[in-house]
Amino acid sequence: MPAPAHCSRNTAGHTGIGAGTALEARPGTEGVARWLRATVGAATGLPLPEADGGDDRVVLSIEPGLPPEGYRLVTDGSPVRIQGGGAAGVFWGAQTFRQLLGPDAFRRAPLRPGRDWHLPRLTVEDAPRFGWRGLMLDVARHFMPKEGVLRYLDLMAAHKLNVFHFHLTDDQGWRIEIARYPRLTEIASWRARTKFGHRASPLWEEKPHGGHYTQDDIREIVAYAAERHITVVPEIDVPGHSQAAIAAYPELGNTDVVDTSALTVWDNWGISENVLAPADTTLRFYEGVFEEVLELFPSEFVHIGGDECRKDQWRRSPAAKNRIAELGLAGEDELQSWFIGHFDSWLAARGRRLIGWDEILEGGLAPGAAVSSWRGYGGGVAAARAGHDVVMCPEQYVYLDHRQAPGDDEPVPIGFVRTLEDVYRFEPVPGELTADEARHVLGTQANVWTEVMEDAARVDYQAFPRLAALAEVAWSRLPAPAERDFADFEHRMAAHYRRLDALGVGYRPPTGPRPWQRRPGVLGRPVDGTPPNR
């Protein structure tokens, strides 16, 4: 899981792994060896000592003839060989090796010390379909402590996902330490209370909520991800979804039309009308933010949000009108494009690439900018046809905050019903794209927005098992959606649930939520019917 491209049984029987089995890490694979000893070694109780001779060993090696993330796993006897086109390929092969050992290999300590472990005698050859196989986690609406983030990086690695889109700021909270602007964590990282359920719900949790990651926390998260061949893409929202920042630094807002000094970090859900002022001082402030962000995150891409920017304050603001006239713009929509374009150029000058939600297409983009297509397929199609790279994550298909079944037992039901099968039949590449245009589809990701997910258990419930289906869509070269063998996927999921159990994942069972996973009486926002195709 996900399904490999080629898997063949070589001979009957099994290959044993035991106390005498050594681990040989050839050049470039030392990190994978450390990971194997820390995870498989802990679960099995096997020491896996270093050795470069003898038959009873597992050999890790880089074979340049394989694709960079591709691997070949051969378990038809000793030595067992895990080969990859690069270190990442060896790591993904090690993930398959772990799966073949059985669900107990996913625990943190051996259940039966001294037992023998067996591998079926196979050759597995595999490589991913897409280079961008992602998960977006919103920690702004409900903060996830660092240990929870590290756990999700492990869960991503177990599913061969390789991009962690880290949604760090929003109206309801700012989650990253910026040394030159301390009030972003002193003030903007906490809200006084929290709406419980959808914004129409009458329920409130009357206690402060918040938290943030120090810069050392971020360094640790990025390093932990890198050891697992996962790239962390940070998201800092501009110019909308910025009320928390304005609450900390009122001069960032449209002070000529609203008393920004009276604003607090927002305690409700939805889209705030409090957006950044289109002023030079605002640009300089966020350049300072991004300077520190670039020091912490080595990723090629930096996400700047760019979505759902309400323009009501700009329309009333004399300062905004003056800026529009000064720049010769047609109106407020082009003002947003100017704002995005500034950071597009700023990031490009520093060797990075801007990525944003598909609203950033409005008004035009620089050639190097990329798009996260969330409002259906349309943004992705437009981006690819305009020559921009795109990550497909349409809300109607891969927003995992959407409900998983139509029943009343589904906790805080949001959006369309998106079952495990629906996600499995999602196709990231729009059929109307030509072959050249389709090359701009970098891949896909699932998005987990946490307005109605108050803790890690709720995130688990919404993400799993559907994230396993998304992982297969992103990795495996599947047939057309209608032709996919969902029965086979369900059969393999039966084994995979045992791995998730060993990992302590609070997934939604196939039979429906467990009693403690329900939220009776908490209002959601279900949408009836079938999602639009585009």
Side-chain angles (χ1 to χ4, degrees):
M1 186 72 73
H6 302 286
C7 181
S8 59
R9 178 173 285 277
N10 300 332
T11 59
H14 294 81
T15 296
I17 302 290
T21 302
L23 182 60
E24 178 184 348
R26 293 181 179 172
T29 69
E30 297 84 357
V32 182
R34 286 194 300 272
W35 178 85
L36 275 168
R37 290 192 178 99
T39 53
V40 174
T44 61
L46 303 180
L48 299 175
E50 177 67 32
D52 58 3
D55 288 335
D56 189 8
R57 61 196 166 110
V58 177
V59 179
L60 311 178
S61 65
I62 293 176
E63 305 293 334
L66 295 171
E69 286 194 277
Y71 69 87
R72 181 186 300 116
L73 171 62
V74 184
T75 63
D76 61 353
S78 295
V80 170
R81 287 163 284 167
I82 307 176
Q83 305 167 333
V90 179
F91 182 71
W92 304 131
Q95 295 291 345
T96 299
F97 170 82
R98 186 190 192 189
Q99 288 192 18
L100 292 175
L101 286 172
D104 287 350
F106 288 79
R107 297 189 178 274
R108 296 189 181 185
L111 301 186
R112 300 166 189 85
R115 67 174 275 195
D116 291 330
W117 296 79
H118 298 95
L119 294 163
R121 298 190 170 205
L122 302 172
T123 295
V124 182
E125 294 184 275
D126 202 8
R129 179 186 181 191
F130 292 112
W132 187 300
R133 308 180 302 279
L135 170 68
M136 191 234 55
L137 182 62
D138 166 25
V139 296
R141 274 51 177 268
H142 278 100
F143 179 65
M144 179 177 284
K146 181 191 68 178
E147 289 303 315
V149 175
L150 299 178
R151 172 175 173 265
Y152 258 83
L153 291 170
D154 281 331
L155 292 174
M156 289 178 64
H159 293 82
K160 300 186 175 75
L161 297 170
N162 70 340
V163 179
F164 180 54
H165 176 169
F166 206 7
H167 183 80
L168 289 163
T169 73
D170 218 295
D171 298 309
Q172 296 86 2
W174 184 284
R175 304 295 177 219
I176 178 173
E177 176 190 18
I178 302 297
R180 72 189 73 185
Y181 302 129
R183 294 207 300 271
L184 288 174
T185 45
E186 293 169 0
I187 295 172
S189 69
W190 292 91
R191 58 179 180 263
R193 62 176 187 168
T194 299
K195 175 70 72 172
F196 192 47
H198 181 251
R199 60 181 177 271
S201 168
L203 304 175
W204 293 88
E205 186 176 38
E206 296 287 352
K207 68 177 183 180
H209 175 85
H212 72 274
Y213 310 103
T214 68
Q215 293 201 356
D216 280 346
D217 290 337
I218 294 292
R219 292 184 181 98
E220 180 183 357
I221 288 167
V222 170
Y224 194 86
E227 289 175 349
R228 287 147 183 79
H229 298 276
I230 295 171
T231 299
V232 184
V233 175
E235 180 178 351
I236 306 293
D237 262 307
V238 296
H241 288 286
S242 298
Q243 182 167 324
I246 297 168
Y249 290 91
E251 63 271 22
L252 296 174
N254 296 283
T255 57
D256 54 349
V257 294
V258 63
D259 180 10
T260 56
S261 65
L263 292 178
T264 61
V265 178
W266 207 20
D267 59 12
N268 211 331
W269 313 129
I271 308 170
S272 172
E273 65 178 9
N274 293 295
V275 302
L276 298 175
D280 289 340
T281 53
T282 306
L283 299 180
R284 300 294 88 78
F285 182 98
Y286 273 87
E287 286 171 2
V289 169
F290 282 116
E291 282 175 4
E292 296 191 25
V293 166
L294 296 191
E295 291 175 0
L296 296 168
F297 296 92
S299 57
E300 175 186 7
F301 288 99
V302 175
H303 208 292
I304 52 77
D307 62 316
E308 298 179 326
C309 178
R310 288 190 168 174
K311 318 257 184 338
D312 296 344
Q313 290 182 358
W314 289 353
R315 293 187 183 99
R316 305 196 317 267
S317 166
K321 291 181 184 299
N322 289 339
R323 177 48 61 103
I324 289 169
E326 170 191 324
L327 296 170
L329 304 177
E332 290 76 18
D333 289 341
E334 287 194 6
L335 187 60
Q336 179 175 349
S337 297
W338 165 81
F339 205 110
I340 299 300
H342 174 85
F343 287 103
D344 190 352
S345 301
W346 189 90
L347 289 167
R350 288 154 181 81
R352 305 297 185 95
R353 293 179 66 187
L354 179 146
I355 185 169
W357 303 110
D358 54 52
E359 287 95 328
I360 68 172
L361 283 166
E362 299 160 6
L365 276 179
V371 172
S372 301
S373 183
W374 75 275
R375 295 180 298 177
Y377 282 88
V381 171
R385 286 178 172 168
H388 295 290
D389 289 339
V390 60
V391 176
M392 295 301 303
C393 49
E395 64 171 329
Q396 304 93 335
Y397 296 89
V398 290
Y399 269 35
L400 300 187
D401 49 310
H402 283 210
R403 58 194 173 131
Q404 302 182 65
D408 293 336
D409 286 341
E410 290 301 311
V412 200
I414 299 295
F416 293 102
V417 172
R418 292 288 82 189
T419 65
L420 180 64
E421 182 173 359
D422 291 329
V423 176
Y424 188 66
R425 296 193 188 280
F426 165 61
E427 172 49 50
V429 179
E432 59 264 47
L433 295 182
T434 66
D436 285 342
E437 292 166 346
R439 293 190 183 96
H440 286 290
V441 179
L442 300 176
T444 184
Q445 67 182 36
N447 294 341
V448 178
W449 300 103
T450 61
E451 287 94 333
V452 300
M453 299 181 212
E454 70 275 12
D455 55 31
R458 281 285 289 122
V459 175
D460 278 6
Y461 179 89
Q462 293 298 135
F464 288 97
R466 292 182 296 180
L467 191 61
L470 185 279
E472 185 150 315
V473 167
W475 177 279
S476 306
R477 297 182 182 276
L478 299 175
E483 299 169 6
R484 293 177 188 174
D485 190 348
F486 181 67
D488 174 72
F489 179 79
E490 280 191 306
H491 175 73
R492 288 181 289 115
M493 274 304 304
H496 197 59
Y497 285 123
R498 295 177 60 202
R499 300 183 191 116
L500 297 179
D501 287 333
L503 289 165
V505 177
Y507 58 85
R508 181 191 188 277
T511 53
R514 298 179 174 94
W516 56 88
Q517 293 174 322
R518 299 168 187 160
R519 297 292 183 274
V522 181
L523 186 66
R525 184 186 58 84
V527 180
D528 294 329
T530 302
N533 288 329
R534 290 290 181 265

